[in-house]
Structures are given as C-alpha cells and as structure tokens.
Amino acid sequence: MTADLTALDLEEAGAVLATESARFASFGWMRGTSGNLSVVLGRDPLRLAVTASGHDKGELTPADVVLVDGNGAAVHEGKPSAEAELHARVAALTGAGAVVHVHTVASVALGHRHPGGIVFKDIEMLKGVGQPAHDVEVTLPVIANSQDMKVLGDRLEAAREPRMPAVVVAGHGLYVWGDTPRQARHHTEVVEWLLELELTRR
C-alpha cells in the first residue's frame, strides 16, 4: 500500500465495486468475465481501485480489486483489468471519481450504425445526465476500438462531449463516469436506456 492509502481503504473500495458489479452483471451487461469498474482513491498522485482481471463480475468479493497508478499499472500486487490505463485516463481527463465499462448489445449495435456519434434530443431521460429534456441536441461520441489503451485514450479525449459523461467504443462497449460510484451507476443506466430506445426506433 502507499503512505496515504491502507489495505482497509482498498477493501472498502472493493466492497463498493463488488456491489456495483453484481448489479450490472444481473442486467446481463457484464457477461462472463467482461467489463470492469474503478473508483478513485487519491488524486495526488492519482490512484484507483480497479476490478481484477479474469473474474466473474457477478461474483466479485471485496478482495477482487487492484490498486493502480495514473498509468493503470498495479502499485502493489495483483493483475488489474487490461483496460485500467483507460480508466485512469478518463479519471484524469474528466475529474471523475468512478468509471464503469460494460458490454451491452445496444452500445455495440449502435456504435456500428452511428460511427460519427449518436444524437439524442427531446427525451425526458436526458435529465439523468444533467441535460435539458427539450430543445437541445446531445451527442454520445463513438470512437473506433483499439487494443492499445493509449491510442484509445487519445481517441476518447479527442471525441469527448463534456455534456455527455460517456463514450461508445465501436464493436466493444460503453464507458461511463461520474463523481461517485453511485452517480456513475445512474449515468450508466440512463445512457443504456437511451441506447436501447434508439435501437428500438430502428
């Protein structure tokens, strides 16, 4: 552990992420061992608790997290998600306190259909991401996938829409963030609802 963070801090973060993971897994959004979540534990230097690699996200325990640095590398021990670097990039770029990555059918399908971004307008549910329900268009960015997290992070930074706390990675899934794990959960559920609505319209 680091000077400012204790094993108890990491365990408490693990308990929160285990609960959130079980919720998303119950929706079918984290099938198999897919998906990953993180919560920021410190800013100077940046430290995040990230779900460990290779675990069923519906069965996580408080111990199934890894402390990582601002580059997504394990600080002490354990194997974090392969996408931990992108979680750290999102946290640094947006100031988010928590990041959610899920693999939903709607996000993958619409990412293919709308490579330039998915536009939402005049939908009451937009209030769930802090936007007016009417007379404003909000675009959910879509970026091309890459196995290189630096490349993916650069694409996310270039495409990010500050009014939308999410981005779709084409052929992959959805990244969403918020100030807290609870807000990130709410944002994820709202954005996924918007995507499902758009999918049914087509």
Side-chain angles (χ1 to χ4, degrees), residues 11-197:
E11 184 177 356
E12 289 176 348
V16 170
L17 294 182
T19 298
E20 296 298 318
S21 292
R23 181 184 181 92
F24 292 130
S26 75
F27 298 154
W29 298 353
M30 302 179 90
R31 295 184 184 273
T33 63
S34 69
N36 34 74
L37 289 81
S38 66
V39 60
V40 173
L41 297 181
R43 288 282 176 190
D44 189 19
L46 183 60
R47 294 288 185 265
L48 301 89
V50 180
T51 49
S53 177
H55 290 259
D56 186 318
K57 300 309 185 298
E59 301 177 349
L60 292 184
T61 73
D64 295 326
V65 292
V66 180
L67 184 68
V68 303
D69 62 17
N71 295 314
V75 171
H76 183 53
E77 59 184 18
K79 182 181 179 182
S81 161
E83 293 159 338
E85 181 180 347
L86 188 57
H87 282 250
R89 181 78 172 268
V90 169
L93 176 66
T94 68
V99 181
V100 171
H101 173 46
V102 289
H103 294 228
T104 69
V105 172
S107 64
V108 174
L110 290 171
H112 283 304
R113 293 183 190 179
H114 302 280
I118 305 158
V119 178
F120 301 108
K121 182 181 179 181
D122 295 336
I123 303 172
E124 193 76 14
M125 195 66 105
L126 283 169
K127 291 179 179 178
V129 290
Q131 298 305 312
H134 302 287
D135 302 323
V136 174
E137 285 190 354
V138 182
T139 300
L140 174 60
V142 176
I143 60 175
N145 195 16
S146 174
Q147 299 306 302
D148 185 323
M149 292 302 108
K150 184 179 186 311
V151 170
L152 202 55
D154 288 346
R155 289 173 181 169
L156 186 150
E157 182 170 357
R160 183 169 78 96
E161 160 59 90
R163 297 178 300 167
M164 176 62 75
V167 64
V168 168
V169 181
H172 188 153
L174 181 65
Y175 276 88
V176 192
W177 49 90
D179 292 340
T180 65
R182 187 169 186 265
Q183 187 185 61
R185 178 216 305 163
H186 290 169
H187 286 170
T188 302
E189 292 178 356
V190 168
V191 171
E192 176 60 16
W193 187 94
L194 291 167
L195 288 168
E196 291 178 13
L197 177 66

